[in-house]
Amino acid sequence: MNKLKKLKAWSLLACLITIGQVQAQHRKAPAYPLITHNPNFSIWSTTDQLNASTTKHWTDADHSLLGLIDVDGNIYRFMGKEEPNYKTVLNTSDEEAYTVQYTEKEPTGAWTTSDYAASDWNSGAAPIGDDEKSVKTLWKSRDIWVRRTFNVSKPETIDELLLKLNHDDNIEVYLNGKKVYEKTGWTNNFHYLPISKADLKTGENLLAIHLTNTAGGRFLDFGLVDKRKETTKIQTAIQKDVEVTATQTIYTFEAGKVNLNLTFTSPLLMNDLSLLSRPVSYITYGVSANDGKKHAVRLFLGASSNIAVYRSSQEVVAEKYTADQLSVLKTGTVEQAVLQKAADDMRIDWGYFYVATPKAKGVAQFITPATVAVDAFKKGSVVSTASKGKLLSLNTVISFGTVGKAEVQRFIEVGYDEIYAIQYFQNNLRPWWNNSGKESIEKQLNNAANDYQSVMKKCAAFDQQVYADALKAGGKDYAHLCVLAYRQSIAAHTLVKSPQGELLWLSKENNSGGFINTVDVTYPSAPLYLIYNPALLQGMLSGIFYFSESGKYPHPWAAHDLGTYPLANGQTYGEPMPVEESGNMIILTAAITKVQNNGNYAKKHWKSLTTWVDYLVKEGLDPKTQLCTDDFAGHLARNANLSVKAIVGIACYAQIAEALGETATAKKYRAIAESMVPKWIEMADAGDHYALTFDNKATWSQKYNLVWDKVLDLNLFPQKVYDTEIRYYLTKQNKFGIPLDSRKAYTKNDWILWTATFAPTREAFEALVKPVYTHAIETESRVPLNDFYDTNTGIRENFKARSVVGGFYMKLLADKLRVDSSLQGAEKR
């Protein structure tokens, strides 16, 4: 190769490396938090470029926030995507009633064609399904076959033909005898699926469907739409950077001759419950010229009414009004079915969504159908053209006037008033900020506007401190993970006050059942709250204590959950996890006692704790066949890690007893725990590691439950156990982390960070954390931090947006308690 060719080759290589570095540096998260308050009010961007996709609720439903900026008449899109303009070809039932032919007996012959004589088929109204409240025709069998004829006059005028389909579950769809779509699985709302318009005929057409129910519910509603082409193109702003901090996500854009700094702030500061519970986020816009000249700038925010619905077919009302210093837009469903449903993949459809901005010259708000919002901004129209309908847009336009080199800032608030947030043993509870029932969302919005400057300063200071503390504790990769976890964990909770006057900080088990106040979700989440406000951890335990102490849960072990979010009326999970949940409750109560340096909370619940510890003494050392928190892995007998939890739980009970001055009790249970340790070592010893189960030495598992022995200074297990396990784990690492155990390649990243916390050296800690960081940055699964994934591929097994990532803070908690212990020791000396 001659010198010139070599030079070109090296230049190309250098260019590719640089591009790769830019891309690697640019991605900061699998999904970016924008608005994060609770399981209902939680909006994310799932692409690295904010304007590359529609913003979404954590369940993946569109919760659209659209951002445009007009610079000297040139319009650029910097956030979200325009709502598609669908024209109905064949209506679904949310638009207009229709009937179909159907049979539950397998047909013979060419039933998918128009020539077929369906004389013995039934006729019924759509939708079809098994929920009598939501369907028009009941279907209870395994299979159903459906036919629907319709006319099309000019198929050639259709731009793009889409099948509009909502089904549960396995489906085959035929258009005029040709299979155009099939899917194994189900949907929870309408999906728009491209099919060929060439399969349509002028005149009569036939859609034929075969649907099979394999589990759960049954449902079918379907039609066709024409996705109309955009008549005018909008330029795309260039995203220059994005940064995620504990309370903020900060974007920078170049929109022609203007720079835009865009900041989303959800001020979730746990030392201020009034602020934490206030359901208001800020969107801050900073605009400046990048060419030294002056430019006319207008900015547009279009917020979808779908943020206030469960399904896009629900009708909403919207209004514009003023409240003190603010201009306000408001929307919510017509039906307002407050606390009428509970499920995992669910969006709120009661209460009201708000967009507010300080009243000022050049600020205008108006309401339109989503399909015409962009055109209204382009034309300068600020006239409301809708107050009731489906898929409306709440539009805010801010005129910045003439902008030069100096940055000009404005902010918009978005908020949500749930009216009632939780049903707690048949009592409907208001959100914490309005526990009295005398507050108003308008007052909260006005308070937020008045507090803007001070809140932003507090958030900036807090973000800086969190990062610095995490960096000191575990390095850059660890600090980045902690930052990503902060808002996600908090936003999976709701803060309310119980009828007994207790604070309740109730989690939703997002994307893994939808249960409320699940104990084995509280357990991994706990470190974050122990650091920043242990009263919130008390609020995660108090409902479970009440469940037992009220006699509503009569078993001698702790419950798994309190129901399905938002209905906390009693456990809905299918079976108990006796050792798991009892151990969790005792360990976390001991952690509260340690962090608060008093046993007041434990003393209130001493009877329950005693009942549960006695169960652990009896059943915990060598557990019978049962589930642990890793229930997805199935039942196990003689689970060594679960045994660790029991032993640690018993020692924690002893530690609480010591704090309460119950010396004899403390000695008794401490002795029991100590006597179990050598038995555990003997049963679990597999040479160069400790086994998954006592009866199979060819297995292994992460013993993440050991971490509390170190963090709470219990000093139960000899250092050899930790050294042996960590050394072994380091031989089992895959690209994206250590597997949970020897059965599968999947893992839980919260447990990896717990395991890393008891690593004997900083080097070993960082070696265990690095693959978890790599997963967050490289995974193909673009969802809010996924905690359950394949360690080889990085692809999500299940779970997203869960609170358990609060467990990433375990190393920080360990360091905090170590410092606190040293200070207390110095004071005593």
Side-chain angles (χ1 to χ4, degrees):
M1 184 182 291
N2 62 37
K3 288 184 179 180
L4 181 59
K5 287 184 177 179
K6 282 185 179 180
L7 181 60
K8 288 182 177 179
W10 279 111
S11 297
L12 177 60
L13 178 61
C15 181
L16 291 173
I17 290 171
T18 301
I19 291 169
Q21 288 174 339
V22 169
Q23 290 175 338
Q25 289 167 2
H26 185 72
R27 177 164 172 181
K28 305 291 175 63
Y32 297 84
L34 304 179
I35 309 297
T36 46
H37 286 280
N38 57 45
N40 293 323
F41 195 30
S42 180
I43 305 175
W44 298 71
S45 172
T46 57
T47 47
D48 295 317
Q49 305 294 317
L50 181 61
N51 50 18
S53 63
T54 304
T55 59
K56 295 178 178 291
H57 186 257
W58 67 261
T59 59
D60 199 45
D62 288 350
H63 274 191
S64 176
L65 298 172
L66 179 65
L68 306 174
I69 186 168
D70 179 339
V71 181
D72 298 329
N74 298 300
I75 297 178
Y76 302 83
R77 176 169 48 82
F78 59 85
M79 175 168 60
K81 283 196 167 183
E82 299 93 327
E83 297 284 351
N85 183 4
Y86 296 127
K87 180 181 178 182
T88 299
V89 175
L90 179 65
N91 65 281
T92 48
S93 69
D94 59 314
E95 300 169 280
E96 187 180 340
Y98 68 92
T99 59
V100 296
Q101 292 178 299
Y102 72 95
T103 180
E104 295 174 77
K105 181 181 178 182
E106 183 172 4
T108 58
W111 66 276
T112 65
T113 66
S114 56
D115 295 334
Y116 180 79
S119 56
D120 59 343
W121 287 40
N122 300 309
S123 180
I128 295 169
D130 60 1
D131 181 357
E132 296 183 15
K133 295 180 181 179
S134 61
V135 303
K136 297 291 181 64
T137 298
L138 282 175
W139 163 43
K140 296 287 182 82
S141 62
R142 183 177 185 273
D143 292 89
I144 192 167
W145 291 262
V146 178
R147 288 165 52 93
R148 183 182 181 188
T149 57
F150 60 99
N151 287 297
V152 176
S153 58
K154 295 181 178 180
E156 68 277 4
T157 63
I158 292 172
D159 287 338
E160 183 180 356
L161 185 64
L162 303 180
L163 177 66
K164 181 182 176 183
L165 180 64
N166 187 0
H167 65 97
D168 187 358
D169 41 90
N170 300 349
I171 193 165
E172 297 172 323
V173 182
Y174 299 84
L175 176 56
N176 295 324
K178 179 182 177 181
K179 185 186 286 187
V180 294
Y181 180 74
E182 77 177 308
K183 176 182 174 70
T184 300
W186 61 90
T187 60
N188 290 289
N189 46 44
F190 283 113
H191 286 209
Y192 294 83
L193 309 159
I195 59 176
S196 174
K197 70 177 184 180
D199 297 319
L200 279 179
K201 301 183 296 186
T202 301
E204 187 175 271
N205 291 263
L206 172 74
L207 270 174
I209 291 176
H210 173 214
L211 196 60
T212 301
N213 175 258
T214 60
R218 299 164 175 82
F219 189 83
L220 177 63
D221 195 359
F222 63 101
L224 297 170
V225 298
D226 176 10
K227 184 179 180 182
R228 306 301 293 172
K229 291 179 181 176
E230 294 180 24
T231 54
T232 57
K233 295 291 183 182
I234 292 177
Q235 299 176 75
T236 304
I238 300 170
Q239 184 175 309
K240 307 297 286 186
D241 194 20
V242 58
E243 193 62 50
V244 181
T245 68
T247 66
Q248 299 185 319
T249 301
I250 305 159
Y251 292 90
T252 58
F253 293 93
E254 183 181 292
K257 297 174 182 179
V258 160
N259 291 336
L260 168 66
N261 293 322
L262 177 68
T263 303
F264 296 88
T265 307
S266 294
L268 305 180
L269 303 180
M270 285 186 269
N271 64 347
D272 184 341
L273 295 184
S274 295
L275 185 58
L276 178 71
S277 66
R278 180 193 288 166
V280 180
S281 278
Y282 304 106
I283 306 176
T284 303
Y285 307 89
V287 179
S288 61
N290 58 35
D291 64 351
K293 299 179 181 179
K294 292 188 176 182
H295 302 282
V297 177
R298 293 188 308 142
L299 191 139
F300 171 86
L301 172 68
S304 174
S305 64
N306 275 358
I307 294 170
V309 306
Y310 178 23
R311 301 188 189 281
S312 57
S313 59
Q314 290 176 286
E315 191 171 38
V316 299
V317 291
E319 63 176 306
K320 171 191 170 184
Y321 61 100
T322 60
D324 195 10
Q325 61 179 309
L326 300 177
S327 174
V328 181
L329 298 172
K330 169 185 178 182
T331 190
T333 60
V334 171
E335 57 189 312
Q336 287 297 306
V338 179
L339 295 173
Q340 293 299 301
K341 57 181 71 68
D344 189 359
D345 185 13
M346 191 182 90
R347 275 73 57 196
I348 193 169
D349 61 357
W350 68 91
Y352 296 91
F353 171 57
Y354 295 80
V355 180
T357 184
K359 289 187 289 188
K361 183 179 179 181
V363 173
Q365 292 191 300
F366 60 106
I367 302 159
T368 63
T371 53
V372 301
V374 173
D375 277 342
F377 176 61
K378 289 177 185 174
K379 295 171 183 176
S381 172
V382 292
V383 178
S384 293
T385 59
S387 60
K388 188 175 183 180
K390 300 168 187 174
L391 198 56
L392 304 182
S393 183
L394 308 187
N395 306 312
T396 302
V397 176
I398 299 176
S399 175
F400 283 75
T402 302
V403 175
K405 185 177 179 181
E407 184 178 84
V408 181
Q409 280 196 358
R410 299 285 187 271
F411 70 88
I412 293 174
E413 300 173 343
V414 292
Y416 206 104
D417 181 3
E418 296 176 296
I419 313 298
Y420 287 95
I422 298 292
Q423 187 174 96
Y424 183 73
F425 295 102
Q426 309 307 321
N427 295 285
N428 288 352
L429 305 182
R430 296 181 184 274
W432 179 271
W433 63 267
N434 190 23
N435 182 64
S436 68
K438 298 176 181 178
E439 291 292 320
S440 70
I441 189 66
E442 287 81 8
K443 184 177 179 181
Q444 294 296 310
L445 291 166
N446 271 297
N447 288 346
N450 292 331
D451 296 344
Y452 172 77
Q453 295 292 346
S454 64
V455 168
M456 294 298 280
K457 287 179 182 177
K458 288 178 184 177
C459 287
F462 178 75
D463 292 348
Q464 187 176 7
Q465 189 64 56
V466 169
Y467 186 81
D469 290 346
L471 183 67
K472 181 180 178 182
K476 289 180 67 175
D477 293 348
Y478 177 67
H480 191 85
L481 288 169
C482 286
V483 164
L484 294 185
Y486 185 83
R487 270 175 287 168
Q488 175 171 315
S489 184
I490 293 172
H493 295 81
T494 291
L495 186 65
V496 293
K497 184 179 286 187
S498 77
Q500 295 75 34
E502 291 186 302
L503 178 155
L504 297 175
W505 182 235
L506 302 176
S507 64
K508 179 173 182 177
E509 192 177 335
N510 288 347
N511 199 226
S512 54
F515 306 108
I516 188 169
N517 204 186
T518 303
V519 176
D520 57 274
V521 167
T522 294
Y523 178 66
S525 306
L528 176 63
Y529 306 100
L530 284 164
I531 294 170
Y532 295 110
N533 191 344
L536 292 173
L537 182 56
Q538 290 177 193
M540 298 161 82
L541 305 185
S542 293
I544 301 296
F545 279 123
Y546 173 77
F547 195 19
S548 285
E549 292 162 3
S550 64
K552 301 177 192 297
Y553 188 77
H555 303 290
W557 55 76
H560 171 272
D561 63 80
L562 292 184
T564 300
Y565 188 94
L567 307 182
N569 296 321
Q571 180 168 321
T572 52
Y573 189 67
E575 64 178 287
M577 297 183 188
V579 172
E580 174 70 40
E581 311 302 19
S582 300
N584 290 343
M585 290 294 291
I586 295 168
I587 292 168
L588 295 181
T589 304
I592 290 168
T593 301
K594 182 89 169 177
V595 169
Q596 293 182 332
N597 199 27
N598 71 68
N600 294 342
Y601 185 72
K603 189 173 183 179
K604 285 176 60 178
H605 303 293
W606 191 241
K607 185 177 179 181
S608 294
L609 294 169
T610 302
T611 299
W612 296 337
V613 79
D614 287 341
Y615 182 84
L616 294 183
V617 169
K618 182 181 177 183
E619 302 288 346
L621 175 61
D622 195 353
K624 296 181 176 66
T625 302
Q626 59 189 272
L627 294 172
C628 70
T629 185
D630 307 314
D631 56 352
F632 52 81
H635 297 74
L636 271 183
R638 313 197 73 192
N639 183 338
N641 189 42
L642 190 58
S643 176
V644 169
K645 178 166 289 183
I647 297 168
V648 169
I650 294 165
C652 281
Y653 179 83
Q655 190 177 76
I656 298 168
E658 187 70 34
L660 293 175
E662 302 284 345
T663 306
T665 300
K667 288 181 178 178
K668 173 186 172 182
Y669 285 92
R670 176 71 193 189
I672 292 170
E674 287 180 349
S675 72
M676 289 178 169
V677 172
K679 296 175 184 176
W680 184 92
I681 292 173
E682 181 181 355
M683 291 189 292
D685 190 359
D688 61 351
H689 69 281
Y690 296 90
L692 166 65
T693 60
F694 295 139
D695 55 357
N696 189 347
K697 300 303 174 66
T699 61
W700 64 273
S701 65
Q702 288 189 58
K703 309 300 188 300
Y704 53 80
N705 287 320
L706 280 169
V707 73
W708 294 106
D709 184 33
K710 291 288 189 183
V711 171
L712 298 179
D713 202 22
L714 299 173
N715 298 309
L716 286 169
F717 289 82
Q719 186 60 36
K720 179 188 175 184
V721 172
Y722 297 97
D723 294 343
T724 300
E725 285 290 275
I726 294 295
R727 190 161 48 243
Y728 189 78
Y729 298 151
L730 289 171
T731 71
K732 295 296 180 182
Q733 291 222 100
N734 294 324
K735 179 179 179 181
F736 297 111
I738 330 164
L740 184 66
D741 57 51
S742 52
R743 289 174 290 180
K744 300 274 189 178
Y746 56 54
T747 197
K748 291 281 274 85
N749 52 18
D750 47 346
W751 298 146
I752 292 177
L753 267 69
W754 284 30
T755 297
T757 298
F758 61 71
T761 66
R762 175 67 170 260
E763 182 182 20
F765 173 85
E766 292 187 2
L768 293 168
V769 169
K770 180 67 175 178
V772 178
Y773 168 80
T774 301
H775 174 259
I777 300 304
E778 296 184 9
T779 176
E780 295 176 30
S781 303
R782 303 309 301 270
V783 298
L785 271 174
N786 155 234
D787 56 286
F788 175 31
Y789 58 84
D790 186 287
T791 56
N792 290 313
T793 66
I795 295 173
R796 167 176 168 252
E797 292 276 345
N798 204 354
F799 307 166
K800 59 184 173 183
R802 302 206 314 156
S803 67
V804 300
V805 294
F808 289 6
Y809 283 76
M810 182 60 89
K811 181 64 164 61
L812 263 176
L813 175 64
D815 287 2
K816 178 184 187 300
L817 288 178
R818 192 177 300 114
V819 170
D820 290 350
S821 181
S822 297
L823 292 174
Q824 290 166 16
E827 288 174 2
K828 289 179 181 178
R829 290 194 297 272

